[in-house]
Amino acid sequence: ESTSGSMDGGGGPPEPSEGMRKRNLSASWKLSQTLLGEGEEDEPPILEELGINFSHIVSKTRAVLWPRRSKLDQEVIDDSDFAGPLIFCFALAAVLLLKGKVQFSYIYVVFVTGLLALWAVLNLMSMKGIDIYRTASVLGYCLLPIVLLAALSLPLDLTGAWGALFVPLTVFWCSNAAALFFVIILQADDQRWLLLYPVMLFYTGFALITIF
């Protein structure tokens, strides 16, 4: 019985001591403070060093959902981060994966090809010019309505009447938001509708990937 009792008592893993719990909590607290930039006064947050600004991501996302010039901050427009675009690209691929379509390579090829073409066109149309990083950031953020279209394609068949309604609306939504960003960056207010055409071609490619 004593042998059985000793085996029962020592069979489970040892519980962590109180000191170990405090050290684990302290390490977790320091990590969260460092990520948020609330640690040492002269120590910048890790997310800021990586170029990830959640307030800018939220502001750009809202600007895409409801594109209005009065709601756009110049600091947010000048921030050419890739966190939001990467999230939306992976979200689009994940939603399409739910439909049984593995489209990671198509999304990558269409985005890179369209990015290079649009970057060249934008610099030819404006004397001010734009760098490729900011171009990629704008195009990636304005991909959000395409992600919503892909999610809508799960319960609905967009190859029929529903597609004739939602696909042009979504492409125009994306293109209008992106053109607004580019107009502000390039200071080309008189060329907004001219900029809209090549941008619409870019998002039409993603709409076709979503539908077929």
Side-chain angles (χ1 to χ4, degrees), residues 11-111:
E15 294 186 0
S17 62
E18 187 66 25
M20 186 178 296
R21 288 199 191 98
K22 290 182 178 179
R23 286 195 296 271
N24 291 337
L25 288 174
S26 177
S28 301
W29 173 257
K30 289 181 179 178
L31 178 59
S32 63
Q33 295 296 95
T34 303
L35 289 174
L36 297 175
E38 299 176 0
E40 300 294 335
E41 294 183 359
D42 58 345
E43 181 181 357
I46 294 178
L47 295 179
E48 183 178 319
E49 291 182 349
L50 294 175
I52 300 174
N53 190 320
F54 285 111
S55 63
H56 286 187
I57 293 174
V58 172
S59 298
K60 279 190 175 181
T61 303
R62 287 177 178 174
V64 172
L65 293 175
W66 188 254
R68 288 188 298 171
R69 186 165 188 162
S70 59
K71 297 297 183 179
L72 291 176
D73 186 6
Q74 189 64 40
E75 183 182 356
V76 175
I77 295 174
D78 293 337
D79 184 13
S80 56
D81 71 285
F82 292 130
L86 286 175
I87 292 173
F88 295 148
C89 285
F90 280 115
L92 176 60
V95 173
L96 293 178
L97 193 62
L98 294 177
K99 296 177 62 177
K101 302 195 304 186
V102 182
Q103 304 283 27
F104 290 94
S105 59
Y106 288 100
I107 293 172
Y108 176 78
V109 170
V110 171
F111 189 89

